[in-house]
Amino acid sequence: MIVKITTAPLSGVSFWAPGAAPEQSDERTIGWLDVPRSVLEMVNEETAAAAVRERAEMRGIHELLGRWEQSGELDKRLAVIQDIVERVESIYIFIGRDVFSKSDAGSNTLTRDDLVGKLRRTPREQWRESDCLFVVAAHCLFLSGRSVRFEEFNGKQLSAVGLREFLTNRYAAYCHALGRDPIDLHGLPLLELAGRIRELMPEADRTDHMRYRRISGLTLAKSEYLADFPLPRDPAEMPGLVAAFGRERLDLTATGDVRADLRAMTRAAAERDAGNPPGDDIGVLGELLATIVSSAVQVTDSDYGMSSSVRDLASLRGAEAGGPEGVLALRKADFFCCCLPHPTRMAHVGDEDVPILWRSAQRMQYNRWHFIPGEFDRADIPENRHYFFPPQVPDIAEHADHIHGGHVASAVRYTIRAPGAQVWREPFTVFGHGFRGCYDIRLVRMQGPPYTLGELTDAVRHTSLVDAFWRALAECLDTGDVPVAPIRGFDKAWYEDRGWQAAFPYREPAEAAAR
């Protein structure tokens, strides 16, 4: 029997039962399959069994929506969905043949086409089954781990059965990390199951199992896993390049306590910058941070890497302790990105190294501005201030040059991102407010091989050094015993002049690393 195969811009590849006509006018036929009748019968049997289970799960979905409607909270929940879909970069979810998407470059049914807004203006009995499922799924996924959970279904079919399976698996995984048996694993209502996941997540983060995500640039899917990686996840000893900086540049003697030694380096660098008039260079603090970044690049055999944050910690001060006023007044220029090449691996790009590094730095300055309000309560942020939730867990990405044009322009194929303050530590607190995802180590390979967990753990250890760097500066700012000047340099002129070549890691990288 002949099965038609079609494709459509939003619906992927479809297989049609013999005699069935494509449902949409934009379907393009790409082939046919001659399928034995016996195989089609088995397909029908499996489909019927799956449909029975899906209908059973959907009854619970409809009951929950009915309770929300009766209590008068359905519209409020839809308004929340309208807001939270704006806090994630890309959504591309299939429910049957319906597409729920949000992308600046591609399909955008959720915001540009106002799908959720239309649901608010439409009686619930007129909603599609897929609309009902998406509304409940959005709340469950957000409750279990904010809107970044949506990305775990990008490029995939979302079903009521699949939603429960996803939440059940995540609950079981966190219980395993904590050495506990799940309670009522298969009988919990969806919202309670999602709530338990959210409650367990901080506890699981403080175990010897590290959450991380794998990102596919082809599908935009971001899948969470747990890696065996014992705490505290600091370097066992100071990386050679950073240790050499402490000896050669700061005249410090190492104690063997990595975080304490990095704190001492940061304080010494801040004292030197405070005693020197500002110049066109990056200062000693900038040079210390550049040394950490360069070490991460070289240890992981990356083409280039970066770390970014706010230039002046004092600018984060609010009108009162913990207030958002300082953050909301910041502009893109108030952030910086230290983006550095491997000493030799980028030789093949010639003079393109400058535009590649500067484009990446500019993108990260914007991202920092875009992320920084995301750790405040929604009520504290003006309606017209767009922002994303900052990344909090490490990730590895492949085919990142398919994600957006910026990655194409900077030849970003494989990446690692290791954010800080890390979720297994206390938030980075300054002026009474705790931040996460406000600094990081990011690494790039322009071609293969892809990164592995080994390089990810190396990046995480270097982020621990960046974490110690910023906490030391916050301590100096809090006590006032060491003046803290803003991070300078890392601007367009610095990149165009190849300013990194004058920094410590590039003046004598081989000799410094060997000492």
Side-chain angles (χ1 to χ4, degrees):
M1 304 187 74
I2 303 301
V3 172
K4 179 183 285 188
I5 308 170
T6 66
T7 185
L10 296 185
S11 302
V13 175
S14 301
F15 298 82
W16 299 92
E23 298 173 358
Q24 298 172 188
S25 59
D26 58 354
E27 296 281 351
R28 180 170 62 88
T29 300
I30 59 175
W32 293 266
L33 281 177
D34 188 359
V35 181
R37 183 182 297 274
S38 60
V39 172
L40 287 177
E41 289 175 350
M42 288 186 282
V43 169
N44 291 333
E45 291 162 359
E46 293 292 330
T47 301
V52 169
R53 172 72 192 282
E54 183 70 7
R55 283 195 295 271
E57 288 288 350
M58 283 300 299
R59 280 196 290 271
I61 298 290
H62 287 293
E63 289 171 4
L64 181 57
L65 289 171
R67 291 198 297 272
W68 288 348
E69 190 171 34
Q70 289 175 3
S71 65
E73 59 183 308
L74 180 59
D75 186 67
K76 293 178 181 178
R77 289 184 177 271
L78 289 171
V80 169
I81 293 176
Q82 279 187 300
D83 185 74
I84 61 180
V85 297
E86 290 283 5
R87 309 300 154 223
V88 63
E89 183 175 10
S90 298
I91 301 172
Y92 194 51
I93 297 172
F94 298 100
I95 302 179
R97 295 184 58 77
D98 297 326
V99 179
F100 296 78
S101 59
K102 186 250 174 179
S103 169
D104 292 337
S107 164
N108 192 331
T109 63
L110 289 170
T111 57
R112 191 184 304 139
D113 296 345
D114 194 28
L115 189 151
V116 182
K118 291 174 182 176
L119 292 182
R120 297 182 69 182
R121 300 186 293 271
T122 303
R124 185 171 69 88
E125 58 270 18
Q126 296 179 22
W127 291 7
R128 302 170 300 178
E129 281 286 281
S130 59
D131 297 327
C132 297
L133 174 56
F134 180 79
V135 168
V136 172
H139 275 281
C140 290
L141 292 172
F142 183 78
L143 177 60
S144 74
R146 300 207 297 194
S147 52
V148 293
R149 290 280 196 216
F150 299 170
E151 297 172 306
E152 300 213 30
F153 284 94
N154 280 348
K156 301 177 183 178
Q157 278 284 345
L158 171 63
S159 65
V161 172
L163 174 63
R164 177 171 290 281
E165 181 180 21
F166 171 83
L167 295 173
T168 299
N169 289 344
R170 193 64 70 243
Y171 176 46
Y174 292 173
C175 287
H176 170 73
L178 291 161
R180 302 176 188 171
D181 291 329
I183 299 173
D184 198 14
L185 181 62
H186 300 290
L188 291 171
L190 287 175
L191 283 180
E192 185 176 347
L193 183 56
R196 288 196 185 182
I197 293 168
R198 187 63 172 264
E199 291 171 2
L200 290 178
M201 191 164 62
E203 294 183 64
D205 283 333
R206 293 189 289 273
T207 71
D208 286 341
H209 300 271
M210 182 186 74
R211 287 191 299 134
Y212 71 100
R213 299 201 297 174
R214 286 195 178 271
I215 301 174
S216 168
L218 299 176
T219 64
L220 305 180
K222 302 182 179 182
S223 304
E224 183 183 283
Y225 299 94
L226 292 172
D228 292 332
F229 188 10
L231 294 168
R233 301 178 187 135
D234 292 337
E237 59 184 32
M238 190 70 75
L241 195 60
V242 183
F245 184 88
R247 287 194 308 271
E248 305 293 330
R249 191 76 169 83
L250 299 172
D251 300 321
L252 294 177
T253 301
T255 67
D257 183 329
V258 172
R259 290 186 74 88
D261 287 343
L262 204 290
R263 174 179 177 273
M265 290 184 199
T266 305
R267 291 175 62 87
E271 288 175 342
R272 294 200 181 189
D273 279 350
N276 296 323
D280 295 331
D281 61 359
I282 57 176
V284 187
L285 279 172
E287 201 169 10
L288 172 55
L289 185 61
T291 302
I292 297 170
V293 172
S294 184
S295 174
V297 168
Q298 295 181 52
V299 166
T300 59
D301 210 20
S302 299
D303 289 309
Y304 62 97
M306 65 205 79
S307 186
S308 57
S309 193
V310 67
R311 287 188 179 276
D312 186 1
L313 283 180
S315 66
L316 302 180
R317 188 192 300 272
E320 57 185 35
E325 293 82 8
V327 162
L328 295 175
L330 296 174
R331 298 293 180 263
K332 178 181 170 182
D334 296 316
F335 300 87
F336 76 95
C337 180
C338 168
C339 188
L340 302 175
H342 188 280
T344 59
R345 279 181 59 101
M346 286 188 67
H348 67 284
V349 304
D351 291 340
E352 282 298 303
D353 58 350
V354 169
I356 287 173
L357 298 178
W358 174 232
R359 278 193 298 260
S360 298
Q362 287 181 290
R363 176 78 184 180
M364 285 311 307
Q365 282 182 270
Y366 172 76
N367 285 351
R368 282 282 157 242
W369 173 84
H370 210 183
F371 287 143
I372 199 163
E375 291 298 306
F376 286 89
D377 291 339
R378 183 65 184 93
D380 294 331
I381 306 171
E383 288 292 326
N384 63 352
R385 171 57 157 101
H386 196 272
Y387 66 95
F388 287 158
F389 292 124
Q392 294 192 355
V393 300
D395 57 53
I396 304 176
E398 296 189 14
H399 303 292
D401 47 352
H402 288 265
I403 295 176
H404 56 66
H407 284 180
V408 175
S410 294
V412 179
R413 174 61 62 89
Y414 304 106
T415 70
I416 283 176
R417 174 170 52 190
Q422 296 146 322
V423 292
W424 51 90
R425 301 187 191 280
E426 293 300 313
F428 173 66
T429 301
V430 59
F431 299 120
H433 185 78
F435 293 88
R436 296 202 186 278
C438 55
Y439 42 80
D440 58 9
I441 286 286
R442 295 190 182 214
L443 301 167
V444 173
R445 283 181 180 165
M446 303 165 77
Q447 54 191 355
Y451 287 112
T452 67
L453 280 177
E455 286 99 12
L456 180 66
T457 56
D458 284 333
V460 167
R461 292 187 177 102
H462 279 80
T463 298
S464 293
L465 301 180
V466 176
D467 181 76
F469 173 90
W470 285 108
R471 289 183 193 272
L473 290 181
E475 179 186 289
C476 293
L477 195 65
D478 183 53
T479 62
D481 61 337
V482 176
V484 180
I487 302 294
R488 61 181 190 252
F490 302 116
D491 54 12
K492 183 179 182 181
W494 186 84
Y495 283 101
E496 289 181 341
D497 291 342
R498 290 186 169 84
W500 66 84
Q501 293 177 347
F504 178 81
Y506 299 89
R507 289 201 300 267
E508 46 176 353
E511 293 83 356
R515 290 192 185 102

